[in-house]
Amino acid sequence: MNDLTPARAVAADAGTPAAKIRLLCAEKTFQVRGQDIEALHPTDLDIRPHEFMALVGPSGCGKSTILNMMAGLMRPTAGEVLYDGQPVTGPNRRVGYMTQKDTLLPWRTTKDNIRIALELKSHATPRAEAEDRVRQMIELVGLKGFENHTPAELSGGMRKRAAMARTLIYEPETLLMDEPFGALDSQLKLLMLDQLQCLTQHRRMSVVFVTHDLGEAITLSDRIVVLSARPGRIRAIHDVKLERPRDVFKVRFTPAFSEQHERLWDELKDDIIKGTDV
Amino acid sequence: MTEGQRTRPADAARRGRDNILIWQAALVVGLLAIWEICGRLTGADQVSSPSRIIRTIMVWLGGELYPHLFTTLGELACGMAIGCSLGILAGLVLGRMPIVSLILRPIIVGLYSVPLVTLAPLFIMFFGLDLLPKIVLVSMVTFFLLFFNTFTGAQQVDEDYLRTLDLMGASKFEQFRKVVAPATAVWIAGGIRIALPYALVATITGELLATRSGLGFLISRAAERFDMTSLYAVLLILMTIGLLLSEAALRLEHRFLRWRQVAE
Ligand SMILES: Nc1ncnc2c1ncn2[C@@H]1O[C@H](COP(=O)(O)OP(=O)(O)O)[C@@H](O)[C@H]1O
Ligand SMILES: [Mg+2]
């Protein structure tokens, strides 16, 4: 028992805080034409280092808002967002953020869009190596043959994949992804999930992943946060008890997966109907 | 399959364009023929005739034309270079600095509302008879056109692009180089295309008022001598220059616009 305390102290000194990202009573209220719209109810949430966490919930429940706050693009109306224990006060350059809307530069080709981070001083990479990594990324997201197309010449799913490659290429320690595979057909989606799982596991990234697809969430995640309809609040956090490494293509057919899926669905179904803003 | 679907309308468009070209050529040839006939019938100096104009131009091309041509083109080029650089710079800076632009905008709009060509006599008083007053005039004209175009473009840069680069760790300068500059390039190229004819007019106006060489000088000399053939010859040369310049500018703009066209 006595041994435990110094050991803990050492761990803390080594700079491994319990949470990579932490929401402390973070809430967000938007003002739209003089009206207050509470997007996110005060929320506490910890994302552990090297954890893959999925956020699911009806549309409009504040999932993108949570990612925006983690990326430092939005300030919480009240409460705090911590990254490695430090308050996030401006753009958080430790995260790679793949936003819901892809922001590929329309005047750049696929290849040049994917390379852009490597052209920056902060990720400066020799030209030959950069070309090499771009080629690998293009293969990884299955965009071979479209290297020289502009975003306008790509389909929605292709643009998402290009945006993913652009975010992954500089290997940020934390990855925020907002519905990255929404526009993909299911076969391609599985391939992408496989690649994403390989990369994030291999590089031990922390990931926060927003999705509508429960199967996707279960396949990839360590934990799944279920949010309720607006104003968003955490309804439940599910641990996914599937062994790693997982076979993206087969794990869906295991009983453990089905059981998890069922529990999640029970949690979500009432809200999904409520939350659909039709 | 898509290949076939794409080429067919393109073919049709090309044929349509060819047809238009044929009609335009026929119209020009017809008008020139009428002019020539009238000129020969009347023999009047005021009417002149295409053949006399061509003869004059041929003589000039033997040597006399070049100093004047170089003067005019030199003034145009210098004025454009100065006006464009300053206009682009100001447009980029103010377009990305909302506060400064709020302060300076009324002044710039006010200045722009003055018909600049009316300042020509003033510049001649300040800067003498030679190249300088024309260069200043052309710079002013191009400055404003480039400024407004660049300013608009710089203001409309998608903030999401900047945010994306920011999160990747791009410095302000890198964000500027990788996003603001390319996003604004289309607007700048458009500004140059619009500015060219104005700049040419400004050059010639300056030269008409006071000068010792240049195409404007040729015009005023011909007018003093009631030499209509020379006058028309200069106008023809100016027209050719104007056409060549605007064609070049259009090409430049298309280069920057390629991604835009695909998007539509
Ligand atoms: N910039 C904004 N201005 C006003 N309201 C916003 C803004 N962003 C999001 N909202 C509102 O906040 C709520 C949550 O939005 P969002 O986080 O995008 O939801 P989700 O990503 O879960 O679909 C929605 O009702 C949305 O209309
Ligand atoms: Mg969203």
Side-chain angles (χ1 to χ4, degrees):
Chain A
M1 264 291 139
N2 271 350
D3 294 347
L4 221 77
T5 330
R8 270 214 191 121
V10 167
D13 277 351
T16 351
K20 192 77 199 167
I21 313 177
R22 166 169 273 182
L23 301 189
L24 287 174
C25 256
E27 66 171 290
K28 185 75 196 178
T29 304
F30 290 104
Q31 254 152 16
V32 182
R33 274 171 249 108
Q35 255 194 330
D36 280 356
I37 294 191
E38 190 182 16
L40 188 67
H41 200 71
T43 298
D44 289 306
L45 181 65
D46 281 1
I47 285 86
R48 300 172 190 144
H50 317 302
E51 173 177 46
F52 200 116
M53 174 180 270
L55 301 180
V56 300
S59 64
C61 73
K63 303 182 296 290
S64 300
T65 303
I66 291 178
L67 292 195
N68 282 332
M69 292 195 301
M70 290 172 169
L73 298 180
M74 264 181 200
R75 290 287 205 94
T77 318
E80 231 179 345
V81 180
L82 302 181
Y83 188 91
D84 280 344
Q86 300 295 317
V88 175
T89 51
N92 181 356
R93 307 217 167 79
R94 308 280 290 280
V95 306
Y97 186 9
M98 185 184 160
T99 48
Q100 193 162 7
K101 173 191 146 203
D102 75 71
T103 55
L104 298 171
L105 301 178
W107 53 84
R108 282 184 172 235
T109 60
T110 306
K111 171 169 83 148
D112 293 344
N113 260 304
I114 292 174
R115 190 185 44 230
I116 193 162
L118 304 184
E119 295 170 12
L120 306 175
K121 264 218 189 73
S122 48
H123 305 284
T125 314
R127 214 186 158 77
E129 192 200 324
E131 288 302 322
D132 232 39
R133 274 164 70 180
V134 169
R135 202 169 324 113
Q136 281 171 19
M137 270 299 155
I138 283 179
E139 233 155 89
L140 190 128
V141 298
L143 283 176
K144 242 184 135 195
F146 294 92
E147 293 92 339
N148 295 317
H149 287 52
T150 58
E153 295 165 328
L154 300 177
S155 71
M158 288 170 156
R159 280 206 295 275
K160 286 273 188 185
R161 283 181 280 150
M164 178 165 101
R166 179 181 67 172
T167 313
L168 290 174
I169 197 166
Y170 67 100
E171 297 171 4
E173 60 172 24
T174 299
L175 208 53
L176 309 177
M177 305 180 94
D178 202 342
E179 300 184 25
F181 303 133
L184 299 192
D185 64 74
S186 45
Q187 273 73 5
L188 194 55
K189 190 188 280 194
L190 285 181
L191 288 172
M192 289 301 113
L193 293 184
D194 188 38
Q195 300 287 17
L196 181 65
Q197 172 172 264
C198 277
L199 244 148
T200 53
Q201 290 293 308
H202 187 241
R203 310 232 188 271
R204 310 209 351 108
M205 289 175 174
S206 316
V207 187
V208 186
F209 184 93
V210 168
T211 180
H212 279 303
D213 182 336
L214 298 184
E216 198 172 288
I218 299 166
T219 306
L220 294 175
S221 310
D222 300 306
R223 289 192 298 160
I224 301 175
V225 176
V226 183
L227 294 156
S228 67
R230 201 181 66 209
R233 63 181 86 205
I234 294 177
R235 210 182 152 111
I237 299 182
H238 288 236
D239 283 305
V240 180
K241 296 195 191 75
L242 298 173
E243 291 286 314
R244 284 197 191 274
R246 298 175 193 164
D247 183 334
V248 165
F249 304 96
K250 293 192 182 137
V251 74
R252 300 181 292 151
F253 305 113
T254 60
F257 185 98
S258 316
E259 188 213 330
Q260 186 90 50
H261 197 283
E262 206 162 315
R263 280 199 295 140
L264 265 174
W265 176 243
D266 284 340
E267 200 87 61
L268 258 170
K269 64 183 175 204
D270 306 332
D271 263 347
I272 295 235
I273 294 157
K274 249 197 290 173
T276 355
D277 9 27
V278 179
Chain B
M1 192 189 77
T2 44
E3 203 78 339
Q5 285 169 343
R6 267 193 205 150
T7 45
R8 235 167 281 142
D11 270 352
R14 180 141 30 87
R15 230 172 299 128
R17 239 177 293 136
D18 287 347
N19 273 337
I20 290 172
L21 272 180
I22 291 169
W23 280 107
Q24 283 170 336
L27 189 67
V28 170
V29 169
L31 287 175
L32 286 177
I34 294 171
W35 187 359
E36 184 71 38
I37 292 165
C38 291
R40 297 216 171 172
L41 287 180
T42 58
D45 245 359
Q46 290 92 319
V47 182
S48 186
S49 74
S51 59
R52 285 164 72 183
I53 294 167
I54 298 291
R55 222 173 301 132
T56 307
I57 292 180
M58 293 316 260
V59 172
W60 282 353
L61 283 176
E64 201 198 343
L65 178 64
Y66 300 111
H68 298 294
L69 192 61
F70 288 147
T71 304
T72 300
L73 290 182
E75 290 161 352
L76 184 70
C78 286
M80 284 286 292
I82 297 169
C84 285
S85 344
L86 294 180
I88 291 167
L89 195 71
L92 283 177
V93 171
L94 294 194
R96 302 307 306 163
M97 297 170 98
I99 308 279
V100 183
S101 80
L102 276 180
I103 296 168
L104 289 185
R105 218 184 132 92
I107 301 173
I108 292 169
V109 172
L111 274 176
Y112 184 58
S113 315
V114 178
L116 288 171
V117 172
T118 59
L119 296 179
L122 198 71
F123 291 153
I124 288 164
M125 241 164 59
F126 285 159
F127 303 115
L129 294 178
D130 288 321
L131 303 183
L132 198 54
K134 289 106 192 174
I135 293 175
V136 174
L137 187 64
V138 175
S139 312
M140 297 272 287
V141 172
T142 38
F143 170 83
F144 283 108
L145 291 169
L146 263 292
F147 169 76
F148 281 113
N149 249 38
T150 312
F151 181 80
T152 314
Q155 275 191 320
Q156 292 188 353
V157 174
D158 191 334
E159 294 297 323
D160 285 339
Y161 296 154
L162 294 171
R163 254 176 246 134
T164 301
L165 272 266
D166 198 355
L167 281 183
M168 282 178 185
S171 65
K172 277 272 173 271
F173 178 67
E174 282 171 328
Q175 292 173 40
F176 191 87
R177 254 191 52 196
K178 309 256 176 226
V179 178
V180 179
T184 317
V186 184
W187 291 84
I188 293 173
I192 292 175
R193 180 176 53 79
I194 296 166
L196 268 171
Y198 284 97
L200 192 58
V201 169
T203 317
I204 303 298
T205 311
E207 288 177 351
L208 279 175
L209 287 177
T211 198
R212 288 176 271 233
S213 80
L215 295 177
F217 168 73
L218 285 184
I219 293 179
S220 52
R221 193 181 67 182
E224 273 163 28
R225 297 175 182 170
F226 298 104
D227 178 2
M228 288 302 143
T229 307
S230 297
L231 192 89
Y232 294 139
V234 183
L235 292 184
L236 188 64
I237 293 168
L238 278 175
M239 210 167 79
T240 313
I241 295 174
L243 279 174
L244 288 178
L245 287 179
S246 63
E247 183 61 30
L250 206 63
R251 295 241 166 124
L252 179 77
E253 195 180 359
H254 274 290
R255 269 196 52 158
F256 287 108
L257 226 109
R258 232 173 349 203
W259 58 270
R260 274 269 159 105
Q261 285 174 324
V262 171
E264 274 148 19

